[in-house]
Amino acid sequence: MPTTMASPSTIETALVANNICKSFGPNEVLHGVSLNVVAGEVHALLGENGAGKSTLVKILSGFEAPSSGALVYEGRDVHWSSAEAENSGVILIHQEFNLAEQLTVEESIFLGREITKGPFLDKVRMRTLAQGYLQALDCYADPSARIHDLAVADKQMVELAKATSRNARVLILDEPTAVLTGKETKVLFELIRRLRAQGVAIIYISHKLEEIEEIADRITILRDGTLVGNYDANELTKDDMARLMVGRELSDLYPHILTPPEDAEIVLEVDNLKIPGVIFNASFSLKKGEILGFAGLVGAGRTALMEAIIGLTQNVSGEVRVFGKPVAYKDLSEARDDGVAYLTKDRKEKGLLLTHGLCPNFSLFSLQKFSNLLIDETAERKAFEAASKVFDLRVGDMSVPAGSLSGGNQQKLLLAKVMEVAPQIVIIDEPTRGIDVGTKSQIYQFIKELAEAGRSVILISSEMTEIIGLSHRVAVMCNGTLSGILQGADLEEHEIMRYASGLKGNGKYE
Amino acid sequence: EKFTIGVSIPTATHGWTGGVNYHAKETKKRLETTYPDLKIVLVTAADPTAQANDLEDLVSVHKIDALVILPTDGGPLTDPIRQVKESGALITVVDRALTDDTIQDIYVAGNNPELGAVSAKYIKKALGGKGDIVVLRGMPIVIDEERFDAFMEGIEGSEINVLDHKHANWNRDDGFTVMQDFLARFPKIDAVWAQDDDIALGVIEAVKQAGREEEMFIVGGAGMKDIIKRVMDGDRLTPVDVLYPPSMISTAMEITALKAVTGAPLKGTYIVGSPLITQENAKDYYFPKSPF
Amino acid sequence: MSSMTTTGVKKTRFNLDLKTIGPFVALIVLFLIGILVNQAFLSTGNLTNILTRSSFIGIIAVGATFVITAGGIDLSVGSMAAFISGCMIVIMNTLAATMEPGIMIVLAGVFASVLLGSAAGFVNGFLTTKGKIEAFIVTLGTMGIYRSLVTYVADGGTLALDRGVRTIYRPVYYDSFFGIPYPVLVFLGVAILGYVLLNKTVFGRHCFAIGSNENVARYSAVHVDRIKTLTYILQGICVSIATIIYVPRLGSASGQTGTLWELEAIAAVIIGGTVLKGGYGRIWGTVVGALILTMIGNILNLTDVISNYLNGTVQGIIIVVAVFLQRGSWRKKK
Amino acid sequence: MSSMTTTGVKKTRFNLDLKTIGPFVALIVLFLIGILVNQAFLSTGNLTNILTRSSFIGIIAVGATFVITAGGIDLSVGSMAAFISGCMIVIMNTLAATMEPGIMIVLAGVFASVLLGSAAGFVNGFLTTKGKIEAFIVTLGTMGIYRSLVTYVADGGTLALDRGVRTIYRPVYYDSFFGIPYPVLVFLGVAILGYVLLNKTVFGRHCFAIGSNENVARYSAVHVDRIKTLTYILQGICVSIATIIYVPRLGSASGQTGTLWELEAIAAVIIGGTVLKGGYGRIWGTVVGALILTMIGNILNLTDVISNYLNGTVQGIIIVVAVFLQRGSWRKKK
Ligand SMILES: Nc1ncnc2c1ncn2[C@@H]1O[C@H](COP(=O)(O)OP(=O)(O)OP(=O)(O)O)[C@@H](O)[C@H]1O
Ligand SMILES: Nc1ncnc2c1ncn2[C@@H]1O[C@H](COP(=O)(O)OP(=O)(O)OP(=O)(O)O)[C@@H](O)[C@H]1O
Ligand SMILES: [Mg+2]
Ligand SMILES: [Mg+2]
C-alpha cells in the first residue's frame, strides 16, 4: 500500500470540474457539467446509459480533453494527459477493461512502472507485491497467468490491484461491479472504505442503486449530459435516484410474468453434460414459455455450460435435445438455425465489432435473412431502425462505430443483434450488465413478452434480485456442477446462496 | 532530325549484367557525342515481363528507329520483339537467341555453349583426361542450361568425374557457401568449374579457408577484371579464364549506330567467341576501369 | 478502451475521406508528372499499355484484397502464377502433341489453370485455418515450393508454349474489343465482381467481421475457417485468371516468372487504402493502387534523367508517400 | 474466447512447452537427417561452417525478434545490409587511398557501419511511428530504396574492398578464438545481450506490452513511439553488426548482397516461436530458427539425391513443418 498518503485534513477539495462541455464531432454529449470531489468521500455518479458518466470521468482523468471548461486539482488548474493524471494520483478504472491480453497479471499490474534493480527488472519483488495486492482483494489469480486466461471477474480484480498499487489520491471506478458478484462486490467495498479512511477521494459509477445507497456519501446525477443535481446520499432513496436519473416515475421494476402451463412442451433437455475440467455434471430441462434462471458464483461454469450447448465448445459429453431432437451443434449457426440463440456477456471481445458501424453489427448474426444472393441493404436498414426503437438505442448519430456507444447502449445493440433472429430458445448471459434502471425495466418487459409469446428463456445473471424477480425456476451452479433447481418457496436469496456455495446440493468447492 | 536507338538490357542482377549495364552506359555517352543527331534511350528490366513492357514504351513513347536488346530470356521475348520490328524499327539482338531468327537484322551472338565447351576442353587437357571435379552452376535459366550441357558433352568419354553440381546463382556468397560444403563433402577435388567469375571469387575464398589451394584449380567465366588480373599474375589457383564479355553490348550498339547514321549495309550475325584467357593473352582483356 | 475508439471516431470521418480519395489523388499527381515528363505519355498507345499491364497485378491484387480484409496474407501469389503458367503450358503442349491445335486445347489449359489456382489457394487456406499456422509462414513456404516446382518442371530452363496453340491463344492478350484490350476488360470484370462480392454479399461482410475480430465473428455464427479458406481460394482463382491472360503474352514460363508479384500485389492493396491488419478493404482503391504501381514503372521509362539504377528508389519513395496520404487511417483498427 | 479460454487454459501450458521445445525438436530431427545424409555433416569443419554462416541471419534475426515482438515488421534488412556493406567498403577504400592501410581504417569502417545502421533503423521507426504508415509499407519502400542505392553506388557492378585493408580485416571473419570462429562468438554475444534486453529489462517488457496492445501500453505511460523506434534502431544496429562480419568474408558488396535475407530472418524468428502478430518473443527460439534455416541449405548441399531445382520445395516444407510443431500456440494471441 502507498505509504505517502495525504490525510483528509491536508486537502479539502481534491478534484473540481467547472462546467465541462464535450462534443464528439457535431454532437455535444456533455453540456457544462460541474463536479466537486472532496478527499475522503465516496462520490457516486448516476445517470442513464449515454448520460455522459464515462465521458466525464475520462475527462477528469485525462483520457479525453474537454471541449470547454476547466479542471482544478488540489488548487491548480490542470490540462493533463492520462499519464500526468495518473502520476498525480488520479486513477481511472475503465468501464471496459484496459488490459493487454498477452501480458501476465504481474506484468499488467506494473506496466509503465516496473520496479528495477540496477538496469534489470526486479521480478521477484514485483511478483510478491502483485500477489499482495491481489490477496488484499482476496483474488487468487496467479501473477504469472496470462490475462486472456482469466475469468472476467479476475480481470476486474487485476484492474483494481493495478489501481491500488498506484499512489491513488482520486480513484475513479466506472461500473466496477458490472462484472462482479455479491462476494467480490463486498471485497471491493471493504477496499473502498479502507481507501476513504486514508483520505482518498473516490468517484463511483454504477447502475446498481442499492450499491449507491450502501457506499456513497454524495451523489451527482446526470441526465443527457446535463447536471441534474448534487445531493447528500442520505437525502435520497433508491426511488428518488431512479426518478431523478430517468426524469419520470418508474413502474415496478419486475413485471408479473405468467407461469407456463404444467404440461407445456419441453423445448430443451440437457442430460449429464460434461466438459473435462470445467463442467462436471449438468442436467436440466426448459419448458415452452418458461424463464429458467441460472445462478452461481462467477466461474461456476454457467457460461461454459451454455457455450457447450450451443456448440462453441468441443469434446463435450452427455446429451442435448432441442424440441425432442438430439443435437450436437458443431457451431453457432446450426444452433441458430434450430432457433437457439446465445447472447454473450463479453460484448467487447465477443459481442460487437467495435470499429464497425451499428447497422453491420446489428445484422451480422441474422445476415442470411436480409440476403438472397445480394444483401438487401434497405431491408437491413429498416430492420435496424425498427430494432433501435424497440431497444431504444440512444445514439446521436447512427454512423458512429459501435465502440463509441455508451456501455449500456452497446449492450442494447447486442440484445437487438441476437433477438433479430427471433429465436425460440434464447440464452442471455448477464443481459442487463451496465444497463440503467430505466432501460432495465424495458428489457425485463421485453423478456416477459418473449416468454408470454411462447418463447423460452435461459437467464444467466449475477444479480440475485434479477434472477429471483424474473425466473419461473432457478438452476444453481457450483464449481462446474448443476447443484440444484429451485422453484416456488425455495426461490429466495439465501437458499440460492447455499446451493451456489456448495453447502447444499451436489456441487462442492474443494 | 534525330535518330533514336532504344537499348533494352537486364537489370544488374549479378556481376556480368552489371558489366553489361556499365558498358551500355559508357557506349551511350560515347556514341551520343560522336553522332550529335543520335539519341539513345537505355532501359533495364528484371524479368521478361518487365522487358516486354519496356519494349512497348520504347515504341509507343520514344518512337525508336532501332532497338538493341539483350533479352532476359530469348523465348518469351521473341514475340514482343517481333512487334517492335513491325513498328518498322531495326532490330539488333545481343547474346541470347530468339526462337525465330528471321526477326533480327543484326545478331551479336554470345556463345554460351562455346563457353561450356572451352572450359571442358581446358579442364580435360589440364587433368590429362582424368580426375574428380565439382561444378557450380548459375541461376536455373536457359543460359546456365546451355553452358552446362555443352560442358558435360565436352568431358564426355573422358575419365573426368563430376562429383556433384549445384546452383550458385552467379553470386559470390552462394559460390562461397556451396564450395564450402563441397570441400566438406569431398576429400579430393582436382578442379572446379565455376562457370562465372563471381562464383569463382567465392570459390577461391572457400578453398583458401580450407587451405586446399594446392589441391585444385578453378575455371571461371566471363572475364571479370579481378580474375583476369589473377590470370595475368599467374595465380596457380586460377590459371585461366573463359571470356564472355559483357562489352558485347557495346559492339552491338556501335554497329547499330553506324548503320543508323551512315546507312552502311550492315546485317547478319557477329559471333563474339569465348576464347580461353591465359597468362599470355590476359593483358588484352584487362580493363581496370570497368566495374566488372 | 472506449476512449481509444473515441479518438478513433473523430479521425474516422476525416480519414475515410482521405482513405477514399488518397489513392486517387496520388494517381492524378502521377498522371500530371507523366504528362510533364513526356508528351507521349498521353498517347492512347501508352495509356492502353499502362492499363493492359496493370491488369496482371490488378487482378491478383483484387484477390489479395479479400485475403487481407479477412486478416490474412498471401506471399505465394507470385510463384503460384509461375507454377500455374508452367503447368498450363505443359498441359497444352502435351495436348497439342496428340491433337490438332485448336480452341479446345486453350480451353483445356484455361480450365486446368482455374483448377490449379483453386487447389493452390485451398492448400494455403487449409494450412492456415486447420493447421493453425500463421499465414505469413504458410505462404512463405508455398512461395518457395511453387517456385522450385516450376523450375523443376521447366528443368531449370523456360517452358515455351507450342507455336500452333500460341497463334490461337495469342489474341486473348493482344486483341481488343472496341479499342479496349481484352486484359483490361477482364480486369474490369474481376474488379466489379470483386466489389460486389466484398461489399454487397454475406461473404464479404463476413470477411470484414473476421478481419476485425475473429471471436465476434465466431460468436455471430460466422464459419470463420470456411470463409478464410474461401478467401485464399478466391486469391488462387484470381492468380489463375491473371496467368490466363499472362501466358498468351510471352507464351512461356520459367522459375523467374512473377518474381516479387506478391509484394507488388500487397503494395497495390495497401496503397488502395485496405488495412493490412484486416477488417477494412476497398476494391476500387486496390485497382487504383495497381494502376499507380504500373504508372511509376512507365513514367520511369519515359525519361532518362534518372539513372536506371535509381528506379527502386523512386518506386520506394512513391509507395511510401502514396500511403502517407492516408496516414493514421489504419491506426484505429487496433 | 470463453470456451476457447477454457481449453485455452490447458492449451497454454501444453503449447508453451511445444513453443519452447518445438524449434529444438525440429533442430534435432534435422541434425539426425544431416548425419544420415552424409557422414561429412558431422565433421567439425562442416559444423563450424554451419555456425559461422548462421551468424549473419542469426544476428539480424535477433534484431527482428524485437521489432516483431513490438508488433512491427522490417522487410528492409536485406537491402539495408547490402547498402551498409557498400558504404563501408567505399569509405574504407577512400581512406585507404589517402593513408596507409591500417587497423584505424577498419575501425572507421565499423564505426560508419554502426552509424548507418542506426540511422537506417531510425528512418524506418520514424516513418512508422510519427508518419503513422504501416511498417510493412515503410520497410517495403526502404527495401527498394536501399537496394537501388547500393546498385547506384556500385555503378551496377560489385564494390571490392581495397586489398590492403582486406588483409587486415580478413581475420575478423576467418580467424577463431580457441577454435570458435569470431562470427560465432559475436552471434553468441548478440544473442545473450538480446535475451537479457528482451526478458530482463523494462525496455523488453514494454516491447511485449506494445506488441500485445498498443493502446493499453500508451495508457500505462509507456512511450510507445519511442520504444517502437528503438526496436527499429536496434534492428539496424544488428544489421550493421552482421555486415561488419560479412564484409571481411568476400571483401565485396553488390546489389545482390543480402537478397531475401529479410524473409530468412523473419522465418527464423517465427520458427523460433515468436508470434508474428506481436506480444510474444523468444530470442533463443530465434537463434535455433537461424540454425535450422542454415542447416537445411547445408544438408541440401551434402546430397545429390534431391534435384537442385527442388531445394525450394524442401526448404518450404521444412519451414512449414517446423512451425506446425507449434500449431495453435499463436491462435489464442488473437
Ligand atoms: N476455471 C476455469 N478454467 C478455465 N476456463 C474457465 C474457468 N472458469 C471459466 N472459464 C471460462 O471462462 C469463460 C468466462 O468466465 P466465467 O467465469 O464468466 O464463465 P463461467 O465459468 O461460466 O462462470 P459464470 O458461471 O460466471 O458464467 C467461460 O466461458 C468459461 O468457459
Ligand atoms: N468516441 C465517441 N464518439 C461519439 N460519441 C461518443 C463517443 N464516446 C461516447 N459518445 C457518446 O457520448 C454519450 C455519453 O457516453 P458515455 O459513455 O459517457 O455514457 P455513460 O453515461 O457512460 O453510459 P453508460 O452508463 O451506458 O456507460 C453517448 O451518447 C455516447 O454515444
Ligand atoms: Mg459508461
Ligand atoms: Mg458469467
Side-chain angles (χ1 to χ4, degrees):
Chain A
M1 273 285 82
T3 50
T4 63
M5 189 48 91
S7 70
S9 57
T10 56
I11 318 159
E12 245 326 297
T13 64
L15 185 57
V16 180
N18 290 325
N19 52 49
I20 301 289
C21 295
K22 176 66 178 177
S23 323
F24 294 103
N27 53 333
E28 186 174 78
V29 299
L30 284 180
H31 325 286
V33 176
S34 300
L35 182 74
N36 164 341
V37 192
V38 180
E41 79 168 352
V42 176
H43 194 126
L45 201 52
L46 286 187
E48 288 180 287
N49 298 129
K53 303 182 294 298
S54 300
T55 309
L56 178 59
V57 292
K58 281 181 204 155
I59 289 171
L60 295 180
S61 52
F63 285 92
E64 294 274 2
S67 310
S68 72
L71 292 183
V72 181
Y73 177 61
E74 293 177 353
R76 314 177 273 113
D77 278 13
V78 286
H79 312 273
W80 52 25
S81 70
S82 55
E84 292 160 354
E86 191 168 298
N87 293 337
S88 352
V90 177
I91 289 155
L92 167 65
I93 294 185
H94 286 260
Q95 179 171 12
E96 313 290 353
F97 290 129
N98 191 20
L99 296 167
E101 293 277 309
Q102 277 126 293
L103 295 189
T104 65
V105 169
E106 173 242 327
E107 286 167 344
S108 306
I109 291 177
F110 286 97
L111 185 55
R113 306 164 36 260
E114 290 79 4
I115 301 172
T116 53
K117 212 191 297 160
F120 301 121
L121 291 164
D122 187 346
K123 290 191 178 172
V124 188
R125 178 106 185 289
M126 286 191 278
R127 224 191 129 72
T128 37
L129 282 174
Q131 203 117 35
Y133 297 138
L134 288 168
Q135 270 158 13
L137 298 163
D138 50 2
C139 162
Y140 295 93
D142 173 2
S144 60
R146 293 190 183 277
I147 297 295
H148 60 66
D149 295 332
L150 296 182
V152 243
D154 289 336
K155 289 185 184 178
Q156 184 61 277
M157 286 305 175
V158 172
E159 288 271 25
L160 285 168
K162 196 172 167 181
T164 50
S165 73
R166 281 143 168 81
N167 185 342
R169 301 276 197 76
V170 177
L171 177 58
I172 306 172
L173 303 164
D174 192 351
E175 299 192 33
T177 53
V179 294
L180 301 184
T181 45
K183 184 163 130 290
E184 295 114 342
T185 307
K186 281 196 185 52
V187 179
L188 172 63
F189 282 6
E190 281 161 26
L191 169 75
I192 291 178
R193 293 201 178 87
R194 199 159 64 238
L195 292 176
R196 173 169 58 189
Q198 290 164 322
V200 179
I202 288 138
I203 300 178
Y204 186 87
I205 301 178
S206 174
H207 291 292
K208 301 179 179 174
L209 301 181
E210 53 283 353
E211 292 177 1
I212 306 295
E213 208 166 36
E214 177 178 350
I215 195 86
D217 304 311
R218 282 202 303 158
I219 302 176
T220 294
I221 299 185
L222 297 181
R223 189 189 309 146
D224 300 336
T226 50
L227 185 68
V228 174
N230 186 310
Y231 311 85
D232 236 8
N234 41 34
E235 285 175 28
L236 299 180
T237 68
K238 280 191 292 191
D239 294 344
D240 302 333
M241 298 180 204
R243 193 171 23 78
L244 289 164
M245 277 169 58
V246 186
R248 58 187 153 82
E249 285 300 337
L250 280 178
S251 53
D252 182 11
L253 194 53
Y254 299 105
H256 172 72
I257 304 174
L258 303 175
T259 39
E262 268 313 310
D263 60 352
E265 157 196 25
I266 296 212
V267 293
L268 173 66
E269 270 174 294
V270 173
D271 290 342
N272 309 321
L273 187 143
K274 295 189 178 65
I275 307 170
V278 182
I279 300 299
F280 303 106
N281 192 344
S283 307
F284 67 90
S285 68
L286 175 66
K287 288 214 209 69
K288 189 173 195 303
E290 182 181 41
I291 300 174
L292 175 62
F294 264 76
L297 307 176
V298 169
R302 296 166 298 177
T303 305
L305 172 60
M306 298 311 159
E307 288 178 344
I309 293 172
I310 55 163
L312 280 165
T313 320
Q314 305 314 328
N315 72 22
V316 177
S317 67
E319 182 167 334
V320 177
R321 286 186 298 282
V322 173
F323 298 112
K325 165 170 71 81
V327 294
Y329 299 126
K330 254 170 254 54
D331 66 45
L332 247 154
S333 65
E334 298 176 0
R336 179 193 59 197
D337 302 343
D338 278 6
V340 184
Y342 169 70
L343 181 141
T344 175
K345 64 185 166 192
D346 185 350
R347 60 173 169 248
K348 201 169 141 238
E349 284 300 316
K350 301 162 194 161
L352 298 173
L353 301 171
L354 298 178
T355 57
H356 283 242
L358 306 184
C359 189
N361 266 294
F362 160 76
S363 59
L364 187 57
F365 188 50
S366 51
L367 207 47
Q368 308 302 353
K369 113 180 191 190
F370 300 108
S371 153
N372 42 18
L373 204 58
L374 296 191
I375 295 174
D376 178 348
E377 277 164 355
T378 43
E380 185 190 11
R381 180 144 293 281
K382 278 208 189 65
F384 173 59
E385 275 150 12
S388 53
K389 283 196 187 51
V390 175
F391 295 91
D392 128 272
L393 272 179
R394 305 252 180 92
V395 196
D397 156 7
M398 287 292 178
S399 71
V400 299
S404 73
L405 291 191
S406 81
N409 282 307
Q410 287 181 18
Q411 187 66 28
K412 293 185 200 167
L413 179 59
L414 188 54
L415 261 166
K417 170 184 170 183
V418 172
M419 288 309 164
E420 187 59 21
V421 300
Q424 288 304 318
I425 303 171
V426 53
I427 305 169
I428 32 191
D429 199 345
E430 312 284 3
T432 59
R433 172 175 290 171
I435 295 268
D436 68 53
V437 276
T439 318
K440 249 186 197 166
S441 56
Q442 292 170 350
I443 290 177
Y444 294 154
Q445 192 56 36
F446 179 79
I447 293 175
K448 164 194 160 78
E449 282 155 17
L450 267 182
E452 292 180 345
R455 312 285 181 77
S456 312
V457 179
I458 290 179
L459 169 68
I460 303 179
S461 172
S462 304
E463 261 186 74
M464 203 61 88
T465 50
E466 185 170 284
I467 289 268
I468 296 169
L470 289 175
S471 313
H472 296 116
R473 294 185 299 148
V474 172
V476 188
M477 289 199 67
C478 168
N479 190 30
T481 307
L482 197 157
S483 56
I485 300 186
L486 312 178
Q487 55 189 331
D490 296 345
L491 233 185
E492 57 75 42
E493 183 145 5
H494 300 89
E495 188 66 0
I496 292 178
M497 278 318 296
R498 281 185 212 102
Y499 280 89
S501 55
L503 299 177
K504 268 178 110 173
N506 46 2
K508 289 275 162 289
Y509 272 99
E510 298 71 24
Chain B
E1 205 269 305
K2 270 190 177 284
F3 189 96
T4 314
I5 301 179
V7 179
S8 169
I9 54 178
T11 29
T13 56
H14 54 275
W16 191 79
T17 42
V20 172
N21 275 265
Y22 169 79
H23 288 292
K25 284 223 310 299
E26 294 302 305
T27 321
K28 171 175 157 48
K29 283 202 218 85
R30 206 171 60 248
L31 289 176
E32 279 180 339
T33 41
T34 35
Y35 307 111
D37 54 7
L38 183 66
K39 180 165 179 298
I40 295 180
V41 183
L42 183 62
V43 292
T44 64
D47 57 66
T49 319
Q51 198 165 23
N53 295 347
D54 289 352
L55 295 187
E56 288 175 358
D57 291 344
L58 287 174
V59 174
S60 67
V61 177
H62 295 287
K63 312 267 182 303
I64 53 170
D65 308 293
L67 170 71
V68 176
I69 180 170
L70 199 166
T72 43
D73 188 347
L77 283 157
T78 303
D79 226 54
I81 294 176
R82 178 182 290 115
Q83 287 186 317
V84 180
K85 172 84 171 179
E86 283 157 5
S87 80
L90 172 89
I91 304 292
T92 303
V93 176
V94 187
D95 183 25
R96 302 170 192 179
L98 307 182
T99 47
D100 170 2
D101 58 12
T102 64
I103 298 173
Q104 67 233 11
D105 301 297
I106 301 170
Y107 181 29
V108 177
N111 193 336
N112 284 301
E114 187 185 350
L115 181 138
V118 171
S119 316
K121 185 150 160 287
Y122 175 80
I123 291 178
K124 216 158 56 179
K125 183 165 130 293
L127 294 180
K130 183 171 190 322
D132 298 326
I133 69 169
V134 291
V135 175
L136 291 89
R137 306 179 55 169
M139 294 175 185
I141 64 175
V142 182
I143 300 151
D144 173 69
E145 279 258 277
E146 293 177 352
R147 293 180 176 181
F148 182 71
D149 297 345
F151 180 86
M152 296 308 274
E153 214 168 289
I155 60 170
E156 212 166 77
S158 71
E159 287 170 52
I160 290 175
N161 163 29
V162 175
L163 296 165
D164 192 7
H165 58 93
K166 295 273 180 216
H167 287 274
N169 309 313
W170 293 314
N171 171 311
R172 290 187 196 191
D173 292 306
D174 298 358
F176 181 81
T177 321
V178 173
M179 192 58 198
Q180 267 191 331
D181 292 339
F182 278 159
L183 289 165
R185 186 172 150 196
F186 304 115
K188 172 172 164 300
I189 301 172
D190 302 318
V192 181
W193 183 45
Q195 196 212 82
D196 170 81
D197 292 340
D198 259 311
I199 299 179
L201 283 165
V203 172
I204 292 170
E205 290 298 340
V207 174
K208 280 202 182 129
Q209 183 196 24
R212 289 165 65 172
E213 298 94 322
E214 297 310 310
E215 174 184 331
M216 67 195 76
F217 66 88
I218 301 156
V219 178
M224 184 186 286
K225 62 172 191 249
D226 322 40
I227 297 290
I228 297 189
K229 182 85 172 54
R230 290 165 187 268
V231 175
M232 261 198 310
D233 304 348
D235 177 350
R236 74 158 299 287
L237 199 53
T238 52
V240 297
D241 194 13
V242 182
L243 187 68
Y244 199 82
S247 58
M248 64 175 70
I249 191 69
S250 317
T251 326
M253 288 169 72
E254 279 149 3
I255 297 171
T256 314
L258 200 63
K259 179 172 172 61
V261 177
T262 65
L266 299 162
K267 255 195 172 300
T269 302
Y270 301 73
I271 295 208
V272 178
S274 287
L276 191 69
I277 303 175
T278 61
Q279 188 167 9
E280 293 64 47
N281 62 3
K283 60 189 171 320
D284 315 345
Y285 301 102
Y286 185 56
F287 309 104
K289 282 194 333 303
S290 155
F292 182 69
Chain C
M1 295 148 298
S2 15
S3 72
M4 269 305 88
T5 342
T6 317
T7 44
V9 176
K10 278 197 261 49
K11 280 224 192 77
T12 317
R13 303 215 180 63
F14 183 54
N15 286 330
L16 273 180
D17 299 345
L18 256 188
K19 195 182 275 155
T20 325
I21 61 165
F24 291 91
V25 174
L27 186 65
I28 291 164
V29 173
L30 265 181
F31 200 84
L32 297 178
I33 296 176
I35 298 171
L36 293 182
V37 164
N38 191 326
Q39 283 307 328
F41 175 79
L42 273 181
S43 66
T44 27
N46 189 52
L47 294 181
T48 349
N49 285 343
I50 295 178
L51 286 172
T52 322
R53 275 174 220 165
S54 54
S55 46
F56 299 130
I57 291 304
I59 292 171
I60 295 176
V62 168
T65 313
F66 283 87
V67 173
I68 294 175
T69 303
I73 191 161
D74 190 343
L75 299 176
S76 69
V77 289
S79 44
M80 198 190 287
F83 179 64
I84 296 178
S85 333
C87 297
M88 267 180 88
I89 291 175
V90 172
I91 290 168
M92 291 193 282
N93 288 355
T94 4
L95 288 176
T98 61
M99 64 169 90
E100 260 314 294
I103 190 75
M104 283 316 300
I105 295 184
V106 174
L107 290 180
V110 168
F111 179 74
S113 159
V114 175
L115 217 64
L116 282 164
S118 329
F122 174 78
V123 171
N124 286 338
F126 181 82
L127 287 173
T128 356
T129 54
K130 292 281 171 288
K132 294 188 169 53
I133 310 171
E134 276 167 310
F136 191 97
I137 285 295
V138 169
T139 54
L140 186 63
T142 48
M143 168 176 163
I145 294 174
Y146 296 141
R147 197 163 286 297
S148 78
L149 282 180
V150 65
T151 320
Y152 182 71
V153 175
D155 203 355
T158 302
L159 291 160
L161 180 56
D162 170 279
R163 284 256 178 140
V165 182
R166 183 82 193 288
T167 33
I168 302 162
Y169 198 171
R170 215 169 159 284
V172 171
Y173 180 84
Y174 289 100
D175 283 11
S176 57
F177 179 79
F178 291 113
I180 309 168
Y182 287 128
V184 180
L185 291 174
V186 177
F187 183 17
L188 201 67
V190 171
I192 291 170
L193 279 179
Y195 176 79
V196 173
L197 197 57
L198 186 62
N199 300 290
K200 303 285 175 210
T201 70
V202 173
F203 172 74
R205 285 281 184 89
H206 287 179
C207 292
F208 282 104
I210 293 171
S212 59
N213 185 333
E214 226 175 291
N215 276 318
V216 173
R218 188 171 284 108
Y219 274 76
S220 308
V222 174
H223 298 100
V224 175
D225 288 356
R226 188 185 305 168
I227 301 285
K228 281 169 99 181
T229 312
L230 275 174
T231 59
Y232 287 96
I233 293 178
L234 213 60
Q235 170 74 88
I237 293 175
C238 285
V239 172
S240 73
I241 296 176
T243 53
I244 289 169
I245 55 174
Y246 169 81
V247 169
R249 181 181 191 189
L250 302 183
S252 76
S254 78
Q256 268 44 49
T257 306
T259 15
L260 296 186
W261 281 8
E262 52 275 358
L263 292 185
E264 272 192 60
I266 294 171
V269 173
I270 309 293
I271 291 175
T274 296
V275 175
L276 188 56
K277 286 190 166 30
Y280 187 84
R282 310 181 48 76
I283 295 288
W284 288 120
T286 301
V287 173
V288 174
L291 286 173
I292 290 179
L293 289 178
T294 326
M295 206 175 278
I296 299 173
N298 178 257
I299 290 176
L300 286 169
N301 279 346
L302 296 183
T303 165
D304 46 10
V305 290
I306 309 164
S307 154
N308 287 311
Y309 298 142
L310 291 179
N311 287 3
T313 311
V314 180
Q315 276 161 350
I317 291 172
I318 294 184
I319 290 177
V320 172
V321 170
V323 175
F324 186 75
L325 281 177
Q326 314 160 26
R327 69 199 298 268
S329 53
W330 56 278
R331 266 297 163 104
K332 64 179 186 308
K333 299 295 173 202
K334 292 273 168 53
Chain D
M1 294 191 301
S2 359
S3 65
M4 290 79 219
T5 324
T6 329
T7 40
V9 175
K10 271 174 264 56
K11 265 232 194 74
T12 316
R13 310 220 172 65
F14 183 55
N15 287 333
L16 276 179
D17 294 348
L18 256 189
K19 194 181 275 156
T20 325
I21 60 164
F24 292 91
V25 174
L27 186 65
I28 292 163
V29 173
L30 262 182
F31 199 86
L32 297 178
I33 296 177
I35 298 172
L36 292 182
V37 162
N38 192 327
Q39 284 308 324
F41 177 80
L42 272 181
S43 65
T44 28
N46 190 54
L47 293 181
T48 17
N49 284 346
I50 294 177
L51 286 171
T52 324
R53 271 179 224 166
S54 54
S55 47
F56 298 133
I57 291 304
I59 292 171
I60 295 177
V62 168
T65 312
F66 283 87
V67 173
I68 293 176
T69 303
I73 191 161
D74 190 343
L75 299 175
S76 69
V77 290
S79 43
M80 200 191 284
F83 179 64
I84 297 178
S85 334
C87 297
M88 270 179 87
I89 292 176
V90 172
I91 291 168
M92 292 194 280
N93 288 355
T94 4
L95 289 175
T98 61
M99 62 169 93
E100 258 317 292
I103 190 73
M104 283 315 299
I105 296 185
V106 174
L107 289 180
V110 169
F111 179 74
S113 161
V114 176
L115 216 64
L116 282 164
S118 330
F122 174 78
V123 171
N124 285 337
F126 181 81
L127 287 173
T128 0
T129 54
K130 292 280 173 289
K132 294 190 170 52
I133 310 172
E134 279 168 309
F136 191 97
I137 286 294
V138 169
T139 55
L140 185 63
T142 47
M143 167 178 165
I145 295 174
Y146 297 139
R147 193 155 298 288
S148 76
L149 283 180
V150 65
T151 321
Y152 182 72
V153 175
D155 205 353
T158 306
L159 293 160
L161 182 54
D162 170 281
R163 288 249 174 147
V165 181
R166 179 88 195 288
T167 35
I168 302 161
Y169 197 173
R170 208 167 171 289
V172 173
Y173 180 85
Y174 289 98
D175 283 12
S176 56
F177 178 78
F178 291 114
I180 308 167
Y182 287 128
V184 180
L185 290 175
V186 177
F187 182 19
L188 200 68
V190 171
I192 291 171
L193 279 179
Y195 176 80
V196 173
L197 197 57
L198 187 63
N199 300 290
K200 305 286 177 209
T201 70
V202 175
F203 171 75
R205 195 167 263 203
H206 286 180
C207 292
F208 282 97
I210 293 171
S212 166
N213 186 329
E214 205 170 314
N215 300 323
V216 171
R218 187 169 283 111
Y219 280 179
S220 309
V222 172
H223 301 290
V224 174
D225 289 356
R226 187 187 306 164
I227 301 282
K228 281 171 93 180
T229 312
L230 275 173
T231 60
Y232 286 98
I233 294 178
L234 214 62
Q235 171 73 86
I237 294 175
C238 286
V239 172
S240 72
I241 296 175
T243 54
I244 289 169
I245 55 174
Y246 167 81
V247 170
R249 181 166 97 172
L250 300 181
S252 70
S254 77
Q256 275 47 62
T257 308
T259 13
L260 296 186
W261 281 7
E262 52 278 354
L263 291 185
E264 277 191 51
I266 295 170
V269 173
I270 308 292
I271 292 176
T274 296
V275 177
L276 187 56
K277 289 193 163 39
Y280 186 84
R282 313 177 44 73
I283 295 287
W284 287 120
T286 300
V287 172
V288 173
L291 287 172
I292 289 179
L293 288 178
T294 325
M295 208 174 276
I296 298 174
N298 175 257
I299 291 175
L300 286 169
N301 280 342
L302 292 184
T303 169
D304 45 13
V305 289
I306 308 164
S307 153
N308 294 328
Y309 302 137
L310 290 179
N311 286 4
T313 310
V314 180
Q315 278 162 348
I317 291 173
I318 293 183
I319 291 176
V320 173
V321 170
V323 175
F324 186 75
L325 281 177
Q326 313 162 25
R327 72 199 297 270
S329 53
W330 57 278
R331 262 299 163 102
K332 57 180 188 317
K333 303 288 178 216
K334 291 265 174 56

